[in-house]
């Protein structure tokens, strides 16, 4: 702002001093013209005198010519503003119309140099009886009978120019002041508005940061609760599982000859082993242990997960299609855990799909990843629900017994495998798409 005002002031003052110089030049020119006119008049008077005296001009005649010139010139004068001076050849001083003789080396030298005008400083102007201000002298030489010539000076005070200049400076000062006031006012308003905006942005940033932190805190809290719960349940489940295995081992020798009973007990042991694997995996998950990874064909994972939920789909009368491409790369995973993630996603798809509908699970390779896509023909999902779906205990199916943990567990398992999990409405078609992607082994 200060710079703007300084620039305005600088431009205006340079413009003013240029104007002042122009005015003085113009004034000097006018004085020179006036002096020239008086000199011509003087010349004519001298010529007339000479004609009357047969070409001779004696001192008395000359005096008469000067006297009549000064009387005529007196009418040109303005008191305290303009005066006419005459100087005789070889005379140092200058004769005023009221016959005073005032010396001036400045005017003498200027006349000798043949200058048309000269500036007379204020103190010197005062010696001529002009105001103590800069004065301008217009100079002209008059041809005389002698070799040396008479000089005519029209001396005028530049008071009016100075006054006009002073007014100009006042005007400039006032204008600068007004500009300063306007710029300062607008500047202050803009600054205040900017400050308010910045403050608002800061508040918004702070509150969104606070919200984010709050959400993280809530999530961490729920995850901790889940981990604690998981650990507790794992211990609780572990004990009866041990008992089951012990009892089956006890009973097994007694049904050695009954093939069907033996097969049934075998299935019981298999399923218990599976539960134990999941429990161990959950405990590892809860403790944040590094996963124990096996290189597994993804098609096997998809098919085993589909087999685990087949009876649920049958019961709901929903068709489950599994589509895998040939030659998919192996993935490094904990199979029983990873299958559980797929199971949870498939069960959600089954719940969302109406009777007679279809759920399709596709496994494909994309870049360096293996992607499991589960598409259903359900009601779809809003962005809001999709965003919150993996939150622990978030469920829109509470009445139907939803725990809100299925996708939390699925997401934890997937991130345990350094994979990604997304859930979104299908585009251009009814239903939801869940996508799990993990790196190839
Ligand atoms: N395939 C889907 N279609 C529509 N909504 C879904 C689907 N999968 C998950 N959701 C939504 O995500 C929520 C959370 O899922 P989940 O964690 O499995 O909990 P739950 O199934 O117990 O409700 C569900 O309540 C539901 O609102
Ligand atoms: Mg679920």
């Amino acid at each position: 702002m200060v710079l703007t005002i300084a620039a305005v002031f600088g431009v205006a003052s340079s413009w003013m001093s240029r104007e002042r110089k122009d005015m003085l030049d113009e004034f000097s020119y006018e004085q020179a013209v006036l002096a020239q006119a008086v000199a011509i008049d003087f010349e004519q008077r001298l010529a007339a005198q000479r004609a009357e005296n047969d070409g001779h001009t004696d001192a008395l005649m000359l005096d008469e010519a000067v006297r009549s010139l000064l009387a005529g010139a007196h009418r040109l004068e303005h008191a305290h503003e303009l005066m006419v001076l005459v100087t005789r050849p070889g005379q140092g001083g200058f004769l005023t119309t009221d016959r005073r003789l005032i010396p001036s080396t400045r005017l003498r030298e200027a006349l000798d140099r043949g200058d048309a005008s000269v500036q007379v400083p204020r103190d010197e102007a005062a010696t001529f009886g002009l105001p103590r201000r800069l004065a301008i002298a217009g100079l002209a030489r008059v041809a005389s009978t002698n070799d040396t010539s008479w000089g005519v000076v029209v001396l005028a005070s530049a008071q009016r120019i100075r006054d006009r200049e002073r007014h100009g400076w006042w005007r400039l000062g006032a204008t600068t002041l007004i500009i300063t006031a306007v710029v300062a006012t607008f500047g202050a308003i803009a600054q205040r508005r900017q400050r308010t905006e910045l403050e608002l942005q800061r508040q918004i940033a702070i509150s969104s940061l606070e919200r984010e932190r709050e959400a993280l805190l809530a999530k961490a809290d729920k995850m901790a609760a889940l981990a604690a719960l998981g650990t507790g349940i794992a211990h609780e489940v572990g004990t009866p599982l041990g008992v089951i295995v012990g009892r089956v081992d006890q009973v097994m020798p007694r049904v050695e000859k009954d093939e069907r009973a033996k097969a049934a007990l075998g299935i019981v042991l298999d399923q218990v082993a599976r539960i134990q694997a999941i429990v161990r995996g959950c405990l590892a998950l809860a403790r944040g242990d590094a996963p124990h990874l096996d290189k597994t064909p993804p098609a096997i994972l998809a098919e085993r997960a589909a087999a685990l939920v087949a009876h649920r789909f049958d019961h709901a009368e929903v068709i489950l299609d599994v589509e895998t491409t040939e030659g998919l790369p192996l993935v490094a995973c904990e199979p029983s855990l990873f299958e559980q993630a797929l199971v949870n996603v498939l069960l959600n798809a089954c719940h969302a799909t109406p009777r007679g509908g279809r759920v399709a699970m596709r496994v494909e390779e994309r870049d360096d990843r293996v992607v499991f896509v589960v598409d259903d023909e359900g009601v779809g999902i809003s962005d809001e629900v999709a965003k919150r779906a993996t939150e622990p205990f978030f469920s829109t199916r509470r009445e139907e017994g939803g725990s809100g943990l299925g996708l939390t567990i699925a997401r934890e398992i997937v991130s345990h495998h350094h994979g990604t999990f997304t859930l979104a409405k299908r585009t251009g078609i009814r239903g939801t798409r869940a996508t799990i992607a993990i790196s190839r082994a």
Side-chain angles (χ1 to χ4, degrees), residues 343-345 347-349 351 394-395 397 402-408:
V343 162
N344 290 1
V345 170
L347 287 180
N348 280 352
H351 290 140
F394 173 84
S395 174
R397 301 179 40 252
S403 65
L405 287 176
L407 291 187
T408 311

Side-chain angles (χ1 to χ4, degrees), residues 332-388:
C333 72
E334 260 184 279
S336 52
L337 272 187
F338 198 82
E339 280 160 33
Q340 193 58 47
L342 291 176
V343 162
N344 290 1
V345 170
L346 286 171
L347 287 180
N348 280 352
C350 180
H351 290 140
T353 305
R355 199 176 294 273
R358 183 183 296 270
V359 170
M361 171 158 62
R362 246 180 16 257
V363 191
E364 56 194 37
E365 187 184 1
R366 277 188 217 159
D367 304 323
D368 261 359
R369 322 206 88 193
V370 174
V371 185
F372 298 79
V373 182
V374 177
D375 283 334
D376 67 47
E377 293 177 354
V379 285
I381 192 164
S382 71
D383 290 346
E384 173 69 15
V385 172
K387 212 156 77 189
R388 298 194 57 193

Side-chain angles (χ1 to χ4, degrees), residues 85-87 91-95 101-112 118-121 123-125 127-128 137 139 153 155:
L85 307 163
V86 173
T87 179
Q91 190 181 49
F94 289 80
L95 200 60
L101 195 66
I102 303 167
S104 168
T105 13
R106 184 186 307 277
L107 292 183
R108 167 53 57 199
E109 283 169 6
L111 258 179
D112 292 346
V118 68
Q119 293 193 2
V120 178
D123 289 339
E124 201 174 328
T127 64
F128 286 94
L139 310 165
V153 177
L155 186 62

